Amino acid sequence: MLDALFERYDTEEAGPMLATDYIQHNPHLATGSQPILDVIPTLKDHGLKRRYLRGVCEGDMIVFHNAYENADLFGTSEMVSFDVFRVADGKVAEHWDNMVATVPADKTSSGNSSLDGETEISDLDRTADNKAIVNNYVAELCAKGADAAVQNFVDTKDFVQRSPSVGAGIEGIREMLNKQRYLKPHFTIAEGNFVFVASEGVEGDQAMAYFDLYRVQSGKIVEQWSINDSIPDKMVHDNGKF
């Protein structure tokens, strides 16, 4: 479906892959399949192209880490997103996303690229264990803050931070939580060594959606990618952000 839309701009090909009652959680796009198909000609005119970075699948849920090139329509040269889909009865039935402008590596707080890093899925036999590790980590972030969470679940020696606004290492996580408060995880998608969590939070008075992808190795979190976006007071649908 994504290739049909963002590589070939073929709405006739993509249309049958979308459920007619497709549920949209992007705050700015109306629900249903037709609003997606209606914007494709404009994206084609601008030459917007999707570049796949990595992905995770569990059951009927799939999350893609994507970069979108030629994104001048959105006021920048490139956007990066987490696009989450639910599939039902052989059709794409629901969508959540966070999308922000790509930050070059030399301008991230950690100095690490927010797009690079591990892509290979491994340790499929440890999916349940790794999912539990990350869920417990996020629960600790919500309940107790950084110190307890980091001590129990993060590899303090080899951890790589790829969230553009977060500094390197463990100290970067501590500084992040001075402004970002995690309130509630909404869903988790895990496959092998990768675990994705969509959480609700707040920064000051602003409601936030935190989309985080973690890589787990030997029982500890060793790498993290994040795309965070504000939750507007009003949306063009009644589906909510989550």
Side-chain angles (χ1 to χ4, degrees):
M1 186 270 291
L2 290 174
D3 286 346
L5 291 178
F6 299 109
E7 293 294 328
R8 298 183 289 277
Y9 310 108
D10 190 333
T11 57
E12 290 188 4
E13 179 186 358
M17 304 180 198
L18 292 161
T20 54
D21 58 350
Y22 179 91
I23 302 170
Q24 178 65 259
H25 293 278
N26 181 303
H28 312 291
L29 193 61
T31 202
S33 61
Q34 195 58 48
I36 301 170
L37 302 175
D38 288 345
V39 302
I40 296 304
T42 300
L43 301 183
K44 181 179 180 180
D45 290 343
H46 286 263
L48 186 81
K49 288 286 187 180
R50 180 182 77 107
R51 179 160 57 93
Y52 170 81
L53 301 173
R54 53 189 56 80
V56 180
C57 176
E58 182 183 11
D60 61 354
M61 299 288 284
I62 302 166
V63 56
F64 291 109
H65 193 194
N66 294 315
Y68 291 90
E69 302 169 352
N70 303 324
D72 60 290
L73 179 66
F74 302 100
T76 186
S77 60
E78 184 180 69
M79 303 285 286
V80 60
S81 75
F82 281 125
D83 287 286
V84 184
F85 298 95
R86 180 177 61 85
V87 177
D89 299 322
K91 293 182 182 291
V92 182
E94 194 165 5
H95 172 245
W96 302 257
D97 71 337
N98 270 0
M99 178 180 283
V100 297
T102 302
V103 179
D106 61 355
K107 294 185 178 179
T108 65
S109 297
S110 66
N112 297 323
S113 165
S114 59
L115 307 183
D116 293 345
E118 186 61 68
T119 61
E120 182 179 355
I121 292 175
S122 61
D123 301 332
L124 289 175
D125 59 328
R126 294 190 56 82
T127 295
D129 291 339
N130 290 339
K131 185 176 185 178
I133 288 167
V134 172
N135 278 336
N136 288 334
Y137 171 69
V138 175
E140 290 275 88
L141 290 182
C142 293
K144 300 179 181 179
D147 288 338
V150 166
Q151 181 178 354
N152 292 327
F153 300 106
V154 178
D155 187 323
T156 57
K157 180 181 177 181
D158 296 325
F159 176 73
V160 179
Q161 180 61 257
R162 297 196 177 278
S163 308
S165 62
V166 182
I170 304 309
E171 190 56 37
I173 298 176
R174 293 191 175 102
E175 291 175 358
M176 172 196 76
L177 291 173
N178 287 330
K179 63 176 182 177
Q180 295 180 9
R181 183 182 174 196
Y182 282 72
L183 298 178
K184 178 184 179 181
H186 281 266
F187 55 84
T188 304
I189 303 168
E191 185 177 11
N193 54 332
F194 282 96
V195 183
F196 172 86
V197 185
S199 303
E200 187 175 351
V202 65
E203 295 180 16
D205 295 329
Q206 177 62 59
M208 297 292 296
Y210 298 132
F211 283 14
D212 297 296
L213 179 64
Y214 302 92
R215 182 170 64 88
V216 182
Q217 181 175 291
S218 302
K220 294 285 187 176
I221 295 169
V222 294
E223 196 166 11
Q224 177 182 358
W225 300 258
S226 298
I227 301 176
N228 305 327
D229 205 0
S230 59
I231 302 176
D233 293 333
K234 295 183 179 180
M235 304 184 187
V236 299
H237 51 66
D238 297 322
N239 299 328
K241 180 67 176 179
F242 296 99

